[in-house]
Amino acid sequence: MLKKHLLKITITTICISSLIIGCSKQSSNRIPFSELGFSVSYEDMVDKLGEPVSETETYLGESYGYQSDYLSMDGQVRYTFDEAGKIASITWLYESEDGEEITGVYNDIHKQLENTYGKTEEATNNVTQLSDIWRLDTGNITLVALVSSDYNGIMYTYLTPEHSTAASN
């Protein structure tokens, strides 16, 4: 009787673990630093997050910023909408006076992205700039860090498939 009970518990544990692992792999396209996804409108964004703290014009369109605590760091999430009013990209920005901190944050996020999406073929790794791009069917993911005497910052961006570019050969 005890053996049957232990076997049922073991099988149940394996099934639940498989479901959790399967779901986590399926949800790897979720943007880790944003409550919102690509399907929201400007009105949805404002309803959910309130009025933006900043607005900027970018090459993709209007970008709206909100204060954000990601990885226990006070940064900003920017939602950029194209001319048709659809989200083109969602970006987390973080600045610091400490260039080593930026490099450490970059390395941590980079490791997470590599664990999820594999190594990228497109990388820059020099003294003042670290950057990578993952070109996925679900849209590109870019990670850029700048470290200099004037500015230290990181930019972590998810782009929609419509606003992503193919690899240049």
Side-chain angles (χ1 to χ4, degrees):
M1 179 75 171
L2 183 59
K3 285 184 180 182
K4 279 187 175 180
H5 185 67
L6 287 174
L7 183 59
K8 284 182 182 179
I9 291 173
T10 302
I11 291 172
T12 302
T13 303
I14 291 170
C15 290
I16 290 172
S17 297
S18 297
L19 283 172
I20 291 170
I21 290 168
C23 289
S24 67
K25 285 185 179 182
Q26 289 174 358
S27 65
S28 64
N29 293 330
R30 188 178 93 60
I31 300 167
F33 50 81
S34 173
E35 296 177 40
L36 307 177
F38 289 136
S39 62
V40 301
S41 66
Y42 175 83
E43 291 78 18
D44 295 335
M45 177 187 72
V46 172
D47 286 346
K48 178 89 173 168
L49 303 175
E51 291 296 322
V53 297
S54 65
E55 287 184 39
T56 305
E57 180 71 29
T58 72
Y59 73 96
L60 290 174
E62 286 291 323
S63 184
Y64 304 94
Y66 291 88
Q67 290 309 116
S68 170
D69 181 21
Y70 175 62
L71 302 174
S72 299
M73 291 175 273
D74 188 25
Q76 188 175 92
V77 173
R78 300 195 65 73
Y79 299 92
T80 303
F81 291 81
D82 64 17
E83 291 177 0
K86 299 190 185 279
I87 286 193
S89 69
I90 301 174
T91 301
W92 178 67
L93 302 162
Y94 177 70
E95 298 176 3
S96 174
E97 292 190 19
D98 184 353
E100 288 182 25
E101 177 189 19
I102 294 298
T103 301
V105 171
Y106 175 90
N107 289 334
D108 290 345
I109 295 171
H110 187 271
K111 185 184 304 180
Q112 291 171 8
L113 288 168
E114 274 192 341
N115 288 340
T116 304
Y117 302 108
K119 291 190 182 281
T120 177
E121 299 291 317
E122 300 174 69
T124 302
N125 189 355
N126 61 46
V127 176
T128 60
Q129 181 180 345
L130 303 166
S131 66
D132 285 279
I133 185 166
W134 285 263
R135 296 185 192 277
L136 309 170
D137 292 339
T138 56
N140 294 352
I141 300 171
T142 62
L143 181 63
V144 178
L146 298 173
V147 178
S148 72
S149 59
D150 297 327
Y151 177 80
N152 300 303
I154 192 163
M155 185 170 67
Y156 179 15
T157 302
Y158 282 69
L159 291 124
T160 64
E162 299 80 21
H163 294 89
S164 295
T165 57
S168 55
N169 294 329

